[in-house]
Amino acid sequence: MTWNVVLRRNMGEAMLIGLLVTALFAGTGAPRALLDGMIGALEHEVLFAAMAFVLMAYVIDRLGLIQRLLAILNSVFGRLRGGPALVDTAGSAVMGALSGSNSGNTAATGSFTGPWMVRSGWSPTRSATMLAGNGGMGAALPPSASMVIMIGFAGSMVTTGQIYLALLMAGIYQIVWRFLLIFWFVRRDGITRVDDEAITPLRASVRAAGAAPLIMVGAFVPILLTVGPLSDLLGTDTPLGDSLGDISILIWIPVLITAIALVVGHKQLPRTRAGWFDFTTGAMPRLAVIGSLLFFAVAASEILNGLGLSDDVDRILGGLAINQYVMVLIVAVLVAVVAGPLSSTATLTAVGQVSLLALVAVGVDPVLAVTAILVFASTEGSSPPASGSIFVAAGLTGAKPEKTFVPLIVYFMLPVLLIGCLIAWGVLPVSL
């Protein structure tokens, strides 16, 4: 964190330093621990799944499929009072589920909805607050790189299906809160409806979108095949049997979405060798950043596991009179503070593992612990003053960033932390 925040170097370098320092705790066995950690990281499914998610987000963005989905949302919600904010919330949920990036979510969705909100009567400050607050949906809904990281840390304590469904339910709670907030803002600020002439008819937007909505199928098919009644039916009454258990949701979701996106958006694909070179090299910076960050983080995690971090946390917490409720609050504040200057993925690579172990050590169910930590990390967009989403939103709406700080804390950061705490305490259900 010091290397990234204070010295302003990139997070990949910071995680490399973290890996080297972690290995030193093995004493004279540091070289061997370092080698074992790096080999373990290369064999870890999480690393390859995260890269697949990054590539998936790049392809969807480059082919313009998100814009087509936003146009449909505009036709559905645009005629309602506060329609632009509703579209931004729904669009951020879709974009967040596909990209998992909070600042990128704010930029992609807000570039369309931000100016529209200001034109329809929302103040620049209120508009920027909504955009930045909604940006947190990047880590709030599955699938996302943040989810992949936490599943890797949890290991055999949870299954991918459990976390996917639990995080989906937690994300729905966040969406409901945002809709309630919009309705309250609309009444408080006297926001009126947008003129009908400014709204594209639903039939026209669906026709223009073509097959773009089909990319969502790639997110649901692997889930339906591996979790729930259909999975049970196929596993017992068909020749597929136990082979369904070999389907990795983490791998197949980004693979299917990417494949569908390439088919649906084939007209936007390059036609020349130079075009393909530009298309493929455009993804390299994103893959390099997330790849190095996760490789070093997972390798460090392997070393910590080998050194017995979980046992150490158990012994430390066993000697302290901290109950489950207090520990959840401590972890919530820790994750939220770290998520201020860092992205949600960087936050979780830095403190995700120890936060998980701390919650499990005081009796929190592992599925609830992972889900709650992901909810805490989704405050990245609403954590002033260093959140990138705030400055992106301010730039799109013409607002002064500092005027959004208090509203973001009151309307987004604190309520989201409360949702995460209620999940960890077992008050809000996240399983069907």
Side-chain angles (χ1 to χ4, degrees), residues 125 128-129 384-385 390-391 394 399-408:
T125 298
T129 301
I390 295 174
F391 298 95
K400 293 182 178 180
E402 62 273 15
K403 288 190 175 182
T404 68
F405 290 176
V406 173
L408 280 170

Side-chain angles (χ1 to χ4, degrees), residues 252-325:
W252 278 106
I253 285 178
V255 167
L256 282 179
I257 292 178
T258 302
I260 294 172
L262 291 172
V263 173
V264 169
H266 68 277
K267 292 183 179 179
Q268 281 70 46
L269 291 173
R271 296 289 186 270
T272 64
R273 181 179 298 178
W276 274 108
F277 179 81
D278 177 66
F279 185 87
T280 53
T281 55
M284 296 306 168
R286 306 188 192 191
L287 292 170
V289 171
I290 195 70
S292 60
L293 189 154
L294 281 179
F295 174 71
F296 297 138
V298 173
S301 174
E302 292 287 316
I303 294 174
L304 288 172
N305 286 333
L307 295 176
L309 175 64
S310 59
D311 295 334
D312 292 343
V313 171
D314 283 339
R315 280 194 295 270
I316 292 172
L317 295 180
L320 300 176
I322 299 180
N323 64 28
Q324 185 180 108
Y325 298 96

Side-chain angles (χ1 to χ4, degrees), residues 47-367:
L47 179 65
F48 299 99
M51 300 287 279
F53 277 112
V54 173
L55 180 62
M56 175 197 78
Y58 172 77
V59 170
I60 292 171
D61 180 44
R62 187 69 181 261
L63 297 181
L65 300 180
I66 288 296
Q67 285 68 29
R68 300 191 211 175
L69 296 178
L70 285 175
I72 295 176
L73 292 172
N74 177 26
S75 298
V76 174
F77 295 111
R79 289 181 174 84
L80 300 174
R81 291 178 64 191
L86 293 171
V87 172
D88 187 77
T89 301
S92 293
V94 174
M95 181 69 181
L98 294 174
S99 72
S101 168
N102 290 336
S103 297
N105 191 4
T106 302
T109 311
S111 60
F112 172 72
T113 58
W116 182 23
M117 289 176 68
V118 174
R119 288 197 305 269
S120 63
W122 292 73
S123 69
T125 298
R126 186 79 79 204
S127 301
T129 301
M130 284 301 309
L131 295 186
N134 284 339
M137 300 303 289
L141 285 164
S144 68
S146 300
M147 183 190 80
V148 173
I149 292 169
M150 288 307 301
I151 290 174
F153 287 152
S156 60
M157 289 190 288
V158 302
T159 67
T160 302
Q162 287 175 324
I163 299 303
Y164 195 102
L165 294 177
L167 187 59
L168 178 62
M169 194 67 191
I172 291 173
Y173 290 137
Q174 290 212 44
I175 293 173
V176 170
W177 166 250
R178 284 165 166 80
F179 280 167
L180 293 174
L181 198 58
I182 291 169
F183 295 143
W184 184 69
F185 283 152
V186 164
R187 296 193 62 180
R188 174 180 171 175
D189 299 343
I191 305 298
T192 59
R193 291 176 68 249
V194 178
D195 294 336
D196 289 345
E197 293 76 15
I199 306 298
T200 304
L202 179 59
R203 183 175 298 178
S205 60
V206 169
R207 189 184 307 117
L214 288 177
I215 61 176
M216 302 302 296
V217 173
F220 295 117
V221 169
I223 295 295
L224 293 175
L225 290 177
T226 55
V227 180
L230 180 59
S231 173
D232 296 337
L233 176 65
L234 293 175
T236 55
D237 298 337
T238 70
L240 294 176
D242 294 335
S243 62
L244 289 175
D246 295 329
I247 296 176
S248 170
I249 297 177
L250 292 182
I251 296 295
W252 278 106
I253 285 178
V255 167
L256 282 179
I257 292 178
T258 302
I260 294 172
L262 291 172
V263 173
V264 169
H266 68 277
K267 292 183 179 179
Q268 281 70 46
L269 291 173
R271 296 289 186 270
T272 64
R273 181 179 298 178
W276 274 108
F277 179 81
D278 177 66
F279 185 87
T280 53
T281 55
M284 296 306 168
R286 306 188 192 191
L287 292 170
V289 171
I290 195 70
S292 60
L293 189 154
L294 281 179
F295 174 71
F296 297 138
V298 173
S301 174
E302 292 287 316
I303 294 174
L304 288 172
N305 286 333
L307 295 176
L309 175 64
S310 59
D311 295 334
D312 292 343
V313 171
D314 283 339
R315 280 194 295 270
I316 292 172
L317 295 180
L320 300 176
I322 299 180
N323 64 28
Q324 185 180 108
Y325 298 96
V326 175
M327 181 56 71
V328 169
L329 289 173
I330 292 173
V331 169
V333 172
L334 168 67
V335 175
V337 169
V338 176
L342 302 184
S343 67
S344 56
T345 51
T347 296
L348 295 175
T349 53
V351 299
Q353 186 177 32
V354 71
S355 297
L356 173 62
L357 294 174
L359 293 183
V360 172
V362 294
V364 178
D365 180 85
V367 173

